[in-house]
């Protein structure tokens, strides 16, 4: 679909679990404050790398996620408002306070 319609699609993965009751092997985005700034920097660096390596419009960067991934997309939009044009929400888990 991306090739047919001329857009780039990237699937970054989360890291191991950060709270009790979740399998340590699961891939999630750590949204607790001690990790959030690191994850935001990772995502900002990822956008930089994509802009440097591909012809993308920096004003049309969209993020989407499901559950905690959508919570992280929301966090990115709040922390990087000048870099994120829009977000999509699928079953959001918003853990920010």
């Amino acid at each position: 679909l991306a090739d047919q319609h001329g857009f780039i699609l990237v699937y970054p993965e989360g890291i191991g679990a950060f709270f009790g009751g979740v399998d340590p092997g699961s891939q999630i985005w750590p949204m607790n404050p001690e990790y959030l700034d690191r994850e935001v920097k990772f995502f900002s660096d990822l956008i930089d790398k994509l802009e440097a390596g591909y012809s993308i419009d920096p004003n049309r960067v969209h993020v989407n996620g499901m559950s905690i991934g959508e919570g992280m997309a929301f966090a990115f939009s709040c922390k990087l408002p000048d870099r994120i044009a829009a977000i999509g929400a699928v079953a959001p888990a918003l853990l920010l306070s």
Side-chain angles (χ1 to χ4, degrees):
L1 191 61
D3 288 339
Q4 292 172 354
H5 295 281
F7 61 89
I8 295 172
L9 189 59
V10 179
Y11 294 94
E13 286 189 25
I15 62 171
F18 68 98
F19 56 88
V22 176
D23 176 8
S26 64
Q27 297 295 305
I28 60 176
W29 290 98
M31 294 199 47
N32 46 344
E34 64 193 80
Y35 294 107
L36 184 58
D37 287 341
R38 182 188 71 190
E39 298 302 323
V40 170
K41 181 173 179 355
F42 163 79
F43 197 75
S44 182
D45 291 347
L46 176 60
I47 294 171
D48 290 342
K49 184 172 184 159
L50 293 169
E51 287 177 354
Y54 300 92
S55 178
I56 67 170
D57 182 347
N59 296 313
R60 296 179 68 191
V61 174
H62 299 82
V63 293
N64 193 1
M66 180 173 178
S67 190
I68 288 180
E70 195 292 318
M72 190 54 78
F74 175 75
F76 293 153
S77 73
C78 291
K79 297 275 190 173
L80 302 169
D82 57 328
R83 305 206 69 191
I84 307 297
I87 66 169
V90 180
L94 301 176
L95 303 175
L96 296 176
S97 56

